[in-house]
Amino acid sequence: MQEGKKEDAAYYIGIDVGTASVRAALVNQFGQVVDQAEAALEIWEPRPDHYEQSSDNIWTACCAVTKKVAQSAGTGRIRGLGFDATCSLVVLDRQFQPLSVNAEGDHKRNVIMWMDHRGGSQVDRINGTRHEVLNYVGGVMSVEMQPPKLLWLKENLRQECWERAGHFFDLPDFLTWKATGTLTRSLCTLVCKWTYSPDRGWDDSFWKEIGLEDLLDENYARIGNQVVSPGSSVGNNLTPEAARDLGLPEGIAVGASLIDAHAGGLGVIGADVTGCHLPCENQPITSRLALICGTSSCHMAISESPLFVPGVWGPYYSAMVPGFWLNEGGQSATGKLIDHVVQSHDGFTELQKEAEARGQHVYTYLNHYLDQLRASRPGGVPAPDLHVWPDFHGNRSPLADVSLKGMVVGLTLSRGLDDLALLYLATVQSIAACQSSYLERWSPCLLALLSSVLARLVISPPFRRPCRRWQRLGRSSFRILNTNGFMRRSIRYFSDCMSTSGNIRLSWRDTNEKTGPSPDCEKNSITTKLY
């Protein structure tokens, strides 16, 4: 396809707020990434299982990366903006100022992160109610959802935070509020993390039963009473103040947001696999599973009818793809677990030195080192007696047990680089065995391991950060794709336009890229999103 002149081009910007960084992408009307930028985020861990961030820090990072990529548009027209973000809880006072969520009273730290597990006792009591709404979160609410976090704030910071709070946002909705000044929430966030029903709205009896009846005041004004589908145009578009902050034209369309994993799921579940000779080429997207991988991992599947699976979140109606039910599994710590295991090992300093000497990322070097170990060991299995149980941060699904802990069996007195590489491999194997995944650049053998474990083809994108996914919201908003019928017809088109298949992984014993399926492997497919 011929590149058009910059002055003739239309562009869209997507902003993706992950756990540790913010990324922005400038994408043209053909779905091609023109420029990308990234900025790190601050994270505070004042005590075990407490993770906090700053909404001011997050917005500042969003502005910095957006200004950078917007310059690449030249004289072309930027028409839309979309956000996705982690499902962290943002707390503001009645004047929309940050409000502390910690005993230290540090108002800069006003975000309880998604992976914060401080509400363990609160979620146990919530689950003890066996309320009907729990049927739509797998029967057991996760401590990572918002009701236990809200209940913790009320019980532990009642005067300092709860009674002063004017607004509780999911982080994706906070970002659209900053951009538009509108308190509208996304159906994605409220359905998946707050127990909102697309048909019935809020359930008064649930909030009363768990002790948060004061949220009913003013028709749920503090947690949202204006709800729209993801991608719908929000408010009166980008405000003058936000336009100055972001370096964008005033008044461009802003799409209702998505949770980051759900933006990834939307982006890849309809990926184009034409030419891969797979049966799924002519099958509906309901036959696929999307793996969305990063600090944690999520397994996303959609269906035309609700599926109630114990320990698996959902079914959520229209939370990701309009008109379809979503089920979501996954693990709370995958990429974070790899970092923890590797960086806490005595051999990490040696690993850093060796990688730096070769100008390589530590995981790139570690993967190559592991390949050498595997080649030197009989049978190619370098760690047959070393085993890891990966629930270091509890189990999200299917056990849905936040109290579970991790375990390593088979340790020796060795503390060198060999030992670190083997422990890394055992950890990756445990993640694959639990049907999880994480950054491919950290472990190119992981997808092959996953393929071996599941006996399925695993297809990954040809790029490491396919950040085109969240700009769809801006594009959808610009085109006013706010009717379910049109959105449902458009999902596959947009996914085909902006997502392509990359590498096909067959098995751990053959980690080379393949251009077609193995005749010995079942030809169902799993599409992965790595970010």
Side-chain angles (χ1 to χ4, degrees):
M1 178 181 59
Q2 296 292 326
E3 288 283 350
K5 295 181 179 180
K6 277 193 173 183
E7 58 268 25
D8 299 328
Y11 296 97
Y12 307 87
I13 288 184
I15 302 175
D16 169 50
V17 180
T19 300
S21 65
V22 174
R23 297 170 286 273
L26 178 72
V27 184
N28 65 22
Q29 69 264 42
F30 306 111
Q32 298 169 321
V33 176
V34 177
D35 197 7
Q36 302 180 64
E38 182 174 0
L41 294 175
E42 294 182 277
I43 298 175
W44 289 268
E45 187 180 356
R47 61 193 68 182
D49 288 333
H50 287 228
Y51 295 90
E52 298 168 2
Q53 288 182 313
S54 162
S55 63
D56 284 347
N57 173 247
I58 292 170
W59 181 249
T60 298
C62 289
C63 296
V65 294
T66 302
K67 285 180 178 178
K68 182 176 180 181
V69 300
Q71 294 175 357
S72 297
T75 58
R77 184 180 177 187
I78 298 175
R79 296 186 173 184
L81 172 67
F83 294 92
D84 75 62
T86 64
C87 49
S88 300
L89 178 66
V90 183
V91 184
L92 304 180
D93 65 17
R94 291 177 178 82
Q95 287 72 46
F96 295 96
Q97 296 302 307
L99 191 59
S100 169
V101 295
N102 48 75
E104 294 80 10
D106 184 353
H107 293 301
K108 180 172 68 172
R109 292 154 42 198
N110 69 316
V111 178
I112 300 180
M113 294 184 67
W114 66 268
M115 61 183 181
D116 186 288
H117 285 187
R118 70 182 68 183
S121 64
Q122 285 77 18
V123 80
D124 287 343
R125 280 182 275 131
I126 291 173
N127 287 324
T129 67
R130 299 184 180 276
H131 195 280
E132 181 184 1
V133 300
L134 300 180
N135 293 333
Y136 291 86
V137 292
V140 179
M141 179 168 285
S142 169
V143 71
E144 296 172 10
M145 296 178 180
Q146 308 304 5
K149 291 181 171 69
L150 294 168
L151 188 56
W152 186 94
L153 289 173
K154 183 175 182 178
E155 294 179 349
N156 292 272
L157 298 174
R158 188 180 187 100
Q159 293 183 340
E160 303 92 331
C161 177
W162 184 258
E163 294 179 353
R164 298 175 57 192
H167 307 277
F168 298 103
F169 288 99
D170 222 277
L171 180 54
D173 294 324
F174 166 81
L175 295 172
T176 55
W177 166 74
K178 285 289 289 186
T180 66
T182 302
L183 295 173
T184 300
R185 268 46 169 207
S186 169
L187 195 65
C188 176
T189 57
L190 293 195
V191 169
C192 295
K193 304 301 176 183
W194 298 72
T195 75
Y196 186 86
S197 168
D199 296 329
R200 302 182 299 274
W202 296 113
D203 189 315
D204 295 356
S205 65
F206 170 71
W207 298 104
K208 291 176 180 178
E209 188 167 356
I210 68 172
L212 293 178
E213 62 282 348
D214 32 354
L215 289 178
L216 277 64
D217 295 347
E218 300 180 60
N219 189 27
Y220 292 94
R222 289 206 286 175
I223 60 175
N225 52 29
Q226 304 172 47
V227 188
V228 297
S229 296
S232 300
S233 185
V234 177
N236 294 317
N237 301 327
L238 193 65
T239 66
E241 181 181 3
R244 288 192 297 270
D245 289 346
L246 294 165
L248 297 177
E250 177 185 341
I252 65 171
V254 178
S257 59
L258 281 165
I259 299 168
D260 56 347
H262 300 66
L266 177 62
V268 303
I269 205 165
D272 183 9
V273 295
T274 302
C276 294
H277 309 293
L278 301 174
C280 62
E281 289 185 33
N282 299 313
Q283 297 300 314
I285 57 176
T286 52
S287 66
R288 299 182 180 185
L289 173 72
L291 268 61
I292 316 303
C293 314
T295 303
S296 65
S297 64
C298 299
H299 308 67
M300 321 289 285
I302 60 174
S303 59
E304 294 186 353
S305 301
L307 300 175
F308 295 87
V309 183
V312 175
W313 295 348
Y316 302 131
Y317 186 67
S318 288
M320 187 172 82
V321 181
F324 287 87
W325 295 86
L326 169 69
N327 287 87
E328 177 185 355
Q331 291 298 83
S332 297
T334 49
K336 183 173 178 60
L337 174 60
I338 298 295
D339 278 345
H340 172 76
V341 168
V342 171
Q343 295 174 9
S344 62
H345 194 279
D346 286 345
F348 182 62
T349 300
E350 180 183 358
L351 171 63
Q352 286 181 303
K353 291 180 180 179
E354 294 291 342
E356 184 177 354
R358 291 163 176 78
Q360 295 179 333
H361 191 280
V362 290
Y363 288 105
T364 302
Y365 176 79
L366 190 55
N367 291 329
H368 293 161
Y369 191 88
L370 186 58
D371 286 340
Q372 296 172 4
L373 278 181
R374 187 176 63 179
S376 67
R377 302 292 177 98
V381 183
D385 301 318
L386 187 60
H387 307 285
V388 175
W389 182 257
D391 290 333
F392 283 52
H393 201 49
N395 182 279
R396 181 185 290 174
S397 63
L399 302 179
D401 189 344
V402 70
S403 69
L404 288 183
K405 302 294 187 292
M407 179 171 58
V408 181
V409 177
L411 292 173
T412 70
L413 295 176
S414 172
R415 300 189 300 176
L417 192 51
D418 279 14
D419 182 69
L420 170 55
L422 295 179
L423 183 58
Y424 164 70
L425 173 61
T427 304
V428 169
Q429 289 172 328
S430 73
I431 292 172
C434 290
Q435 302 180 30
S436 301
S437 186
Y438 71 106
L439 286 170
E440 185 179 26
R441 74 170 186 177
W442 287 3
S443 179
C445 72
L446 180 58
L447 293 181
L449 277 167
L450 187 63
S451 181
S452 296
V453 169
L454 300 177
R456 296 292 187 273
L457 290 176
V458 178
I459 305 169
S460 63
F463 32 77
R464 286 175 180 164
R465 292 185 183 273
C467 45
R468 292 177 286 188
R469 60 194 173 99
W470 60 91
Q471 67 82 29
R472 287 183 181 84
L473 300 179
R475 183 173 182 176
S476 295
S477 179
F478 169 70
R479 295 196 174 192
I480 320 178
L481 304 184
N482 55 3
T483 61
N484 283 354
F486 191 82
M487 277 293 289
R488 289 183 62 172
R489 294 193 301 271
S490 302
I491 292 300
R492 189 60 178 268
Y493 167 76
F494 286 141
S495 294
D496 286 348
C497 180
M498 304 179 195
S499 297
T500 57
S501 63
N503 306 326
I504 299 178
R505 308 290 178 171
L506 300 182
S507 71
W508 178 63
R509 298 184 185 278
D510 182 3
T511 57
N512 293 324
E513 297 173 7
K514 300 293 182 180
T515 58
S518 165
D520 300 323
C521 183
E522 271 190 76
K523 297 177 183 178
N524 299 77
S525 68
I526 298 169
T527 306
T528 64
K529 164 68 175 70
L530 306 166
Y531 65 98

